[in-house]
Amino acid sequence: MLEIRNLQVKLQDEDKQILKGVDLTVEPGKVHAIMGPNGSGKSTLSYVLSGRDGYEVTGGSAHLDGADLLEMEPEDRAAAGLFLAFQYPVEIPGVGNMTFLRTALNAQRKARGEPEVSAGDFLKLVREKAKTLKIDAEMLKRPVNVGFSGGEKKRNEILQMAILEPTMCILDETDSGLDVDAMRLVADGVNALRSEGRGFLVITHYQRLLDHIRPDVVHIMADGRIIKTGGPDLALEVEKNGYADILAEAL
Amino acid sequence: MAAPKRSDDLRAEATAARLAAVTVPTGGFTGAARAAARARLEAMGLPGRRDEYWRYTDPTALNAAEAPEAAVFTAEESPIFGAVDRITLVFSDGVFDAAASDDPSLAGVEIARLAEAGRADIHWAKDLYGVLEARGQEPVARPHAALNTAAAADGILIRVTGKAAKPVHLVYRHASVQSDAILHHCLRIEPGAELTLLESGPAAARFNKVLEVDVAAGGRFHHIRAQGRDHERRAITHIFARVGEGALFKSFTMTANGRMTRNECVIEIAGNDAVAHVAGAALGDGASGAFHHDDTVFVTHAAERCESRQVFKKVLKNGATGVFQGKILVKPGAQKTDGYQISQSLLLDEDSQFLAKPELEIYADDVKCSHGSTTGAIDETALFYLRSRGVPREDATSLLILSFLADAIAEIEDDRLAEEIVSRLEAWLARRKV
């Protein structure tokens, strides 16, 4: 599904190499976690995959279901099934959450040559998805993320994911700024979306989130590379001993 | 060799030439006001670039004796506010079109034409015509408003004694490339009465309009204006408002296109606990013709516990120019004043410019006044966020522009009217594909 080969990325405006050859394959139905210390390149990987400006790919490749992601505009990557849940969801005053969701859904459907969803059907869809994430009607009416608490913003990200139904979901530190209850709510939302045809890449600092979203594979990233890959136990090892041992081992 | 002319002489010559080109109606209840306005104009002269409030806007085309030509623009879309139940009064190149207008009968609202009612010696509008305009000449001269009072050929006089069941809509059509229209409206909202006034259209190649509004105690006035989309039209408009005790005044203007527009709004908050909001959303694309838009606002707080808001937003591209000159004056004794002013521009390229001059002058010690002015580009992070959800760049940019304009549009209380404005803004953005 997602195939990343020897991906090398530097900052566009600075001579600073961030990713130094990342190899990663996410199979359909699997949840991969990426852990690693600050500055290891985890968030950069998520941004480069989703097409944010400011980065320059200096080598390697990234494909989603065979399509070259790096050649596509961000909106085309979304239509192709990629979704990034932001670490810091953006506030957009004056644009209602419902308008935003419907615009996004219909834009993707249009790009895929599918018919637009009617206002009535859309309302039904949103209500159903919002309920499970405990997002009330008031939150849906408000402008996108404006005045939302940290937890509400993250739940709103998962709501978008549930409505857009991507095939490849990247969660960038979705647990940051969440209390235990909010994290469980978000994790439940993600778990509800796990399915045979859908892959997940969960980026996190802490093992905590992985108690709720059980990964199939855990990768440790450091200094722009994946230095170790293992099963769920690897996350527990990090939680117990920190990154120091793994980093030393990799050298 | 003749001595070079002094600038005062040149100004007097230009003023005389401009006055010579207009027909000043005489007699009737406006006669004295017109003569006084003419004298005011002759004393102050037409504006020049060196005048403090004309530094950013070139008055040459407004001052010229003959109106510069402006091509007539034919839009294919349905007329704005068409879906709203309203009384429509139509002017074509400044000339009233009775056949195209509705029967002006509406409970609690008296509607008359200046050209007809003005012949009478006694009329309620005698206390208003040119009166607020004259008050508004201090401390800043507004020569084109004086010209208007002196020379206005027609206009609408509206007295509201109850809660109007539907809005009154003044439609300004532009049919001739050489038209030069001067209209002067007077509106009095009697105590506790309420009216929504709509205005739309380009009006003429050159349009000079004054609206004098007196909102008595407890009255409510809503004004929503959509200025015409003709690329070459020029306009100078003035609103002079007096807001009484516990009264509400709200004015919103949308301007898309137009070679040159200067909208002045002069508000005197005269009664305690009154509210006055004035807002504008302007969009200009220099690629479809020059675009210069100037909002010049002067709000005077002369009573206690009053609130004023100025919210002006401009979206500029391809060499468009936006100007904002906004002042809040708090007079001695106007305690507990809550004054707010924001002017912002969104520059879609590096060729456009925004010039802002915010001013506060406060002579009371227990007041809250704030102002802000910003110039910026589209927020790249927000743009990426929208695109990452599948919204194409152009649509995402349009959404962010509407988001930028939202605070100004929020000043429209009636949801239907706000939707009309938003749909026009969306259409403008869709045509541009910014």
Side-chain angles (χ1 to χ4, degrees):
Chain A
M1 160 159 278
L2 178 66
E3 288 194 48
I4 304 170
R5 292 284 165 265
N6 192 28
L7 186 62
Q8 298 158 51
V9 172
K10 70 180 268 292
L11 289 181
Q12 209 163 46
D13 300 331
E14 280 176 58
D15 197 20
K16 190 177 174 193
Q17 198 73 27
I18 311 282
L19 299 183
K20 300 175 178 172
V22 173
D23 286 286
L24 181 67
T25 302
V26 179
E27 309 83 4
K30 300 290 185 196
V31 175
H32 286 235
I34 297 188
M35 301 179 74
N38 289 327
S40 57
K42 306 187 299 292
S43 287
T44 295
L45 178 63
S46 71
Y47 286 143
V48 169
L49 290 175
S50 50
R52 188 174 189 153
D53 284 343
Y55 302 99
E56 187 184 327
V57 176
T58 54
S61 66
H63 289 82
L64 179 64
D65 296 325
D68 185 353
L69 277 179
L70 304 178
E71 286 297 313
M72 297 158 85
E73 295 295 331
E75 52 268 38
D76 299 328
R77 299 180 198 205
L82 189 76
F83 182 93
L84 169 65
F86 280 51
Q87 183 179 2
Y88 304 108
V90 180
E91 295 185 8
I92 306 180
V95 176
N97 216 9
M98 290 291 272
T99 306
F100 166 58
L101 285 167
R102 190 158 168 235
T103 304
L105 178 62
N106 281 332
Q108 290 199 15
R109 293 182 66 91
K110 194 177 162 194
R112 292 193 292 260
E114 298 163 10
E116 294 197 349
V117 174
S118 73
D121 289 348
F122 177 74
L123 197 65
K124 228 181 280 171
L125 176 72
V126 173
R127 279 196 186 135
E128 177 205 319
K129 305 283 186 188
K131 202 174 163 188
T132 54
L133 286 158
K134 297 203 167 115
I135 289 175
D136 59 24
E138 190 50 41
M139 235 175 102
L140 289 170
K141 265 191 256 167
R142 292 204 312 242
V144 180
N145 293 324
V146 176
F148 285 25
S149 70
E152 285 173 335
K153 283 181 181 169
K154 296 299 172 76
R155 266 147 59 200
N156 200 27
E157 294 290 286
I158 306 305
L159 174 66
Q160 292 167 33
M161 196 191 280
I163 286 166
L164 298 173
E165 298 187 312
T167 51
M168 181 66 224
C169 308
I170 305 172
L171 281 70
D172 185 12
E173 306 209 10
T174 292
D175 49 337
S176 69
L178 295 188
D179 60 34
V180 179
D181 292 337
M183 185 156 64
R184 185 164 296 138
L185 212 52
V186 165
D188 288 349
V190 172
N191 288 330
L193 289 171
R194 290 179 76 156
S195 74
E196 273 181 26
R198 186 171 287 139
F200 285 86
L201 192 58
V202 180
I203 294 170
T204 180
H205 271 297
Y206 304 106
Q207 194 266 335
R208 231 173 28 157
L209 180 66
L210 303 180
D211 282 343
H212 300 287
I213 306 173
R214 298 288 298 164
D216 298 298
V217 184
V218 175
H219 308 275
I220 308 295
M221 194 163 175
D223 193 27
R225 287 187 188 90
I226 286 170
I227 56 167
K228 189 164 186 177
T229 296
D233 292 347
L234 186 54
L236 294 169
E237 192 187 320
V238 168
E239 186 72 3
K240 206 168 141 198
N241 304 325
Y243 292 111
D245 289 356
I246 299 168
L247 291 175
E249 195 181 304
L251 282 175
Chain B
M1 197 170 76
K5 286 187 180 175
R6 293 174 51 229
S7 64
D8 283 356
D9 296 336
L10 289 170
R11 193 184 288 236
E13 272 178 26
T15 306
R18 183 76 181 91
L19 277 166
V22 296
T23 312
V24 178
T26 52
F29 77 85
T30 63
R34 288 177 188 275
R38 184 185 178 118
R40 269 199 298 283
L41 174 62
E42 284 169 338
M44 67 180 101
L46 287 169
R49 284 310 285 274
R50 289 191 191 158
D51 296 353
E52 176 70 18
Y53 285 90
W54 287 90
R55 281 191 192 159
Y56 301 144
T57 296
D58 183 354
T60 307
L62 299 172
N63 292 352
E66 298 294 329
E69 290 193 357
V72 175
F73 177 81
T74 318
E76 282 164 18
E77 64 194 357
S78 59
I80 191 166
F81 308 129
V84 178
D85 184 21
R86 70 220 195 276
I87 293 223
T88 301
L89 302 168
V90 180
F91 289 88
S92 188
D93 290 320
V95 178
F96 186 71
D97 184 342
S101 301
D102 291 332
D103 167 22
S105 42
L106 183 59
V109 184
E110 292 170 27
I111 299 174
R113 274 180 59 205
L114 175 65
E116 289 171 352
R119 294 192 204 110
D121 289 325
I122 297 170
H123 196 273
W124 64 264
K126 190 175 181 180
D127 295 337
L128 201 50
Y129 189 88
V131 173
L132 297 186
E133 176 262 301
R135 287 175 70 87
Q137 296 289 354
E138 286 289 333
V140 180
R142 305 175 196 281
H144 285 282
L147 171 72
N148 181 300
T149 297
D154 205 351
I156 297 290
L157 309 173
I158 304 176
R159 194 166 80 98
V160 189
T161 53
K163 194 175 180 325
K166 50 187 165 183
V168 172
H169 182 187
L170 306 180
V171 177
Y172 307 121
R173 290 183 186 152
H174 174 203
S176 156
V177 294
Q178 288 171 316
S179 53
D180 192 11
I182 304 181
L183 294 178
H184 192 121
H185 311 305
C186 290
L187 212 156
R188 178 161 164 87
I189 311 270
E190 298 290 353
E194 181 167 4
L195 179 79
T196 297
L197 179 72
L198 309 174
E199 290 184 285
S200 68
R206 183 171 68 178
F207 188 36
N208 179 331
K209 191 203 67 184
V210 165
L211 170 65
E212 292 180 289
V213 187
D214 189 11
V215 190
R220 297 170 74 83
F221 174 65
H222 303 272
H223 176 225
I224 292 111
R225 165 167 62 166
Q227 291 181 304
R229 272 175 44 212
D230 288 32
H231 295 295
E232 296 178 8
R233 63 145 188 85
R234 293 176 169 85
I236 175 150
T237 77
H238 291 81
I239 297 171
F240 294 97
R242 180 166 57 195
V243 188
E245 186 166 348
L248 174 97
F249 170 95
K250 275 195 167 186
S251 174
F252 170 89
T253 300
M254 172 179 72
T255 312
N257 309 343
R259 176 176 290 268
M260 207 274 237
T261 308
R262 169 136 160 162
N263 293 329
E264 298 197 26
C265 187
V266 183
I267 302 171
E268 180 186 356
I269 306 181
N272 295 334
D273 304 298
V275 173
H277 292 191
V278 53
L283 303 95
D285 181 353
S288 22
F291 178 86
H292 181 101
H293 183 90
D294 175 338
D295 287 299
T296 294
V297 181
F298 199 116
V299 175
T300 302
H301 281 264
E304 294 182 24
R305 298 180 303 277
C306 295
E307 174 193 303
S308 73
R309 278 174 73 84
Q310 303 173 32
V311 183
F312 286 87
K313 307 263 185 168
K314 293 175 175 64
V315 180
L316 306 166
K317 70 181 290 198
N318 291 320
T321 301
V323 176
F324 175 77
Q325 307 183 100
K327 180 158 180 171
I328 305 173
L329 168 64
V330 180
K331 288 201 161 177
Q335 302 295 8
K336 307 284 182 193
T337 284
D338 182 355
Y340 174 76
Q341 177 195 95
I342 184 87
S343 66
Q344 296 180 301
S345 75
L346 187 61
L347 303 183
L348 299 178
D349 54 47
E350 288 175 1
D351 302 327
S352 302
Q353 62 170 344
F354 177 55
L355 304 158
K357 191 171 78 164
E359 291 177 280
L360 297 179
E361 194 176 334
I362 301 171
Y363 297 102
D365 55 10
D366 185 12
V367 303
K368 192 172 87 181
C369 275
S370 61
H371 68 90
S373 183
T374 65
T375 297
I378 289 279
D379 179 347
E380 288 295 328
T381 307
L383 187 65
F384 173 63
Y385 188 64
L386 291 170
R387 294 178 74 196
S388 78
R389 296 303 179 250
V391 183
R393 175 189 279 277
E394 287 169 349
D395 298 344
T397 304
S398 293
L399 267 182
L400 293 176
I401 290 172
L402 288 174
S403 163
F404 167 77
L405 297 172
D407 286 347
I409 298 164
E411 292 295 334
I412 304 171
E413 281 188 14
D414 187 314
D415 287 343
R416 288 170 317 157
L417 298 174
E419 278 165 25
E420 280 268 353
I421 293 292
V422 169
S423 73
R424 301 298 155 144
L425 292 169
E426 283 173 342
W428 190 92
L429 292 166
R431 283 191 299 271
R432 292 283 167 315
K433 282 287 176 196
V434 283

